[in-house]
Amino acid sequence: MWAAAGLVDKEMIVKLRVVGVALLSICLGLSAQAAELKLRIMETTDIHMNLMSFDYYQDKATDQYGLARTVSLIRAARQEVGNSLLFENGDLLQGNPLGEYVAKVRPLASGQTHPAIRIMNEVGYDAANIGNHDFNFGLPFLRRVMSDARFPYINANVYLDDADGKNSRHAFTPHVLLERRFRDVQGGEHTVKIGVLGLVPPQIMQWDRSNLMGKVVARDMVEVARNYVPQMRAQGADVVVVIAHSGIGRSDAEPMDENEVAALTKVPGVDAVLFGHSHGEFPGPSFASNPAVDLVRGTIHGVPAVMPGRWGDHLGVVDLLLDNAGGSWKVRDSQARIRPVYDRATRKPLVDADPVVERLIGADHAGALTYIRDKVATSSEPIYSYFAQVADDPSVQIVANAQIAYVKRAIAGTELEKYPVLSAASPFKTGGRQGWDAYTDIPAGPIAIKNVADLYVYPNTLKAVLLTGAEVQEWIEMSAGQFNRIDPQGPPQQALLNSAFPSYNFDTMDGVTYELDLTEPAKYSTAGKLLQPTANRVKNLRFDGAPINREASFLVVTNNYRAFGGGGFPNLSAARVVLDAPEETRQILAEYLTLVEFLSPGRQFSASADGNWRIRPVPGVALSFLSGQAAARYLPRHKQIRLVKDNGDGSALFELTP
């Protein structure tokens, strides 16, 4: 018995050894077949029709931005690696006079490809997402442009409005699965499948209501990503890239937030996020305080991510290291970075413009130049926006005047004629993240179409809302969130501007007079949430010389973005609109200037600010702010502002003095 048992044990040991050797051989075979593969993913975003390295507002070439220079970075980045993909993240078609020229002034002829698509086809983009401003010229124009792309356009969270509440049909191709043959580090070839998903802020339904309402609806970006990322994996995606035309936002984003990238990086199965919209630079020092961010590796919640600025001033680069040791391709390591076209420290270009861009779109560029140089009026004074965030400003004043003049003509003889007309307008070109030369600066003399476009850079249309005096005050309270709270007992110099508050949400209200007391806290957050119900920065609000009647009604002129809820201002929605003008504000401004012909102090029409609002001085405290260094030449016109320091990078520190 024992002998028999010993025999069995020996046989079992032999068999186990044979099985073990076989398993070891299989494992060694798998290990021998495992491969490493390096994949570079590149992104452009928020080009805003800056295809050439040219400033159409100042009518001169620039070294600091332009897709023509980004293309040079793209070619260099491709040459460094064996495997690469190139994506565009939207806000491509609108943003400067060239965009207006090909969309409206000289629309594309039958069979003619949009200049931006010509370039992208030539350079070889792999896919493109749709940005919010790409809807500005309407859905037919957008679809017409997309039809000539030799690469897929994608968006997953915009659906056709089918009127039955289900909204199950996508308005665009939601995602693509790109199959590419790549070489591993040993030289072997492999087929890799890259799933690409496109997203846009659902706020397009507010911002472009007149173009989109009744045609499409938008859903939450994170919800849609959670639905589609597993589907792309199930369809065989080895790598999943989310292209989100959205800013970082909060990690705990609420449904339908505008900026949801931090939340998107937490969606299981996402390997990389390419983002934009907010014109920031990631990875970059402005995000150092975000606990979800690793600036060294360029990750958010451990996921590689990149946002390459705006106007083609950077190229986004994400390098992924993949291996298939587990039987399928997985991201083992990553590095994200941005590459600039211009060195801000030395003020020198880092690359030349690629000549292919001028070859492809030179005729469109020349046509746009002819268009923008048409004269519409003359001004005896300069018009500039260097101090638009801290004092009543000529560049905003002239827009407000044009809006009021238009509406008074439009309501003559109607029921609305009985209401006083006020005008809300904001500065668009205020430096900062746009660059320290991004200001309106129109010298005295002829005013041309290029200057009109400089004064009003967006294709907004004019609207008017009917509000009470109390609601007018709340509008101004929301705008006053642009400023930091000033401590009267604090340091003798305190920063005036809240950098998180976009200048296009800083509406000044013409037709009334008022002061801002910044020793009070902001009443609303930058998103319009009520923070301090008892706070009131707006003081001495008057209409026609008397304290404003809080119950009286006022007709307030604004743009479609604001009237339909853009910026989260209290009491504003489509339901409050009583005058819905089809004309663009820019067209209204051009017509106003044509009628006026000549602007001069002492005449009926002037380019000077009327000084209807001011920031109250805080005794013992100098209120400091940054502006472009070129602002210094206008200081003789602003006795309450003094230059503190030229920073040597194109910016300068100024103070509002007590």
Side-chain angles (χ1 to χ4, degrees), residues 82 92 150 226 362 479 536 644:
L92 172 70
R150 296 201 294 263
R226 285 178 180 148
S479 289
N536 282 294
V644 178

Side-chain angles (χ1 to χ4, degrees), residues 92-242:
L92 172 70
L93 306 177
Q94 178 278 333
N96 68 14
L98 177 60
E100 294 288 318
Y101 179 75
V102 299
K104 295 194 169 185
V105 179
R106 190 176 179 182
L108 298 173
S110 176
Q112 183 182 13
T113 301
H114 190 281
I117 302 301
R118 267 178 257 154
I119 296 168
M120 294 170 70
N121 284 341
E122 177 74 16
V123 174
Y125 277 73
D126 291 279
N129 187 31
I130 303 170
N132 56 289
H133 281 292
D134 295 322
F135 293 97
N136 286 170
F137 299 125
L139 283 169
F141 177 81
L142 175 57
R143 294 190 188 282
R144 163 78 173 79
V145 171
M146 292 166 53
S147 67
D148 290 319
R150 296 201 294 263
F151 49 86
Y153 254 100
I154 55 174
N155 171 272
N157 68 314
V158 178
Y159 292 74
L160 295 175
D161 190 347
D162 57 12
D164 66 2
K166 295 181 180 179
N167 303 312
S168 57
R169 293 178 56 207
H170 284 280
F172 307 95
T173 301
H175 58 86
V176 291
L177 196 64
L178 304 175
E179 288 195 18
R180 297 289 188 266
R181 291 290 289 175
F182 291 143
R183 287 189 179 276
D184 63 31
V185 295
Q186 291 84 21
E189 284 198 357
H190 306 268
T191 297
V192 180
K193 297 180 180 180
I194 301 93
V196 189
L197 180 75
L199 301 166
V200 71
Q203 283 73 18
I204 58 169
M205 300 308 301
Q206 295 176 355
W207 302 335
D208 261 307
R209 186 177 188 275
S210 57
N211 285 328
L212 304 180
M213 189 59 63
K215 301 171 185 176
V216 297
V217 295
R219 294 183 181 173
D220 176 63
M221 293 180 282
V222 174
E223 172 197 347
V224 169
R226 285 178 180 148
N227 180 37
Y228 275 111
V229 170
Q231 289 188 36
M232 288 190 290
R233 289 291 187 186
Q235 291 167 10
D238 298 300
V239 177
V240 171
V241 178
V242 172

Side-chain angles (χ1 to χ4, degrees), residues 36 169 306 332 359 450 480 504-505 606:
E36 286 188 345
R169 293 178 56 207
V306 71
R332 200 177 77 196
R359 174 174 61 81
K450 63 185 177 183
Y504 57 76
N505 280 344
S606 170

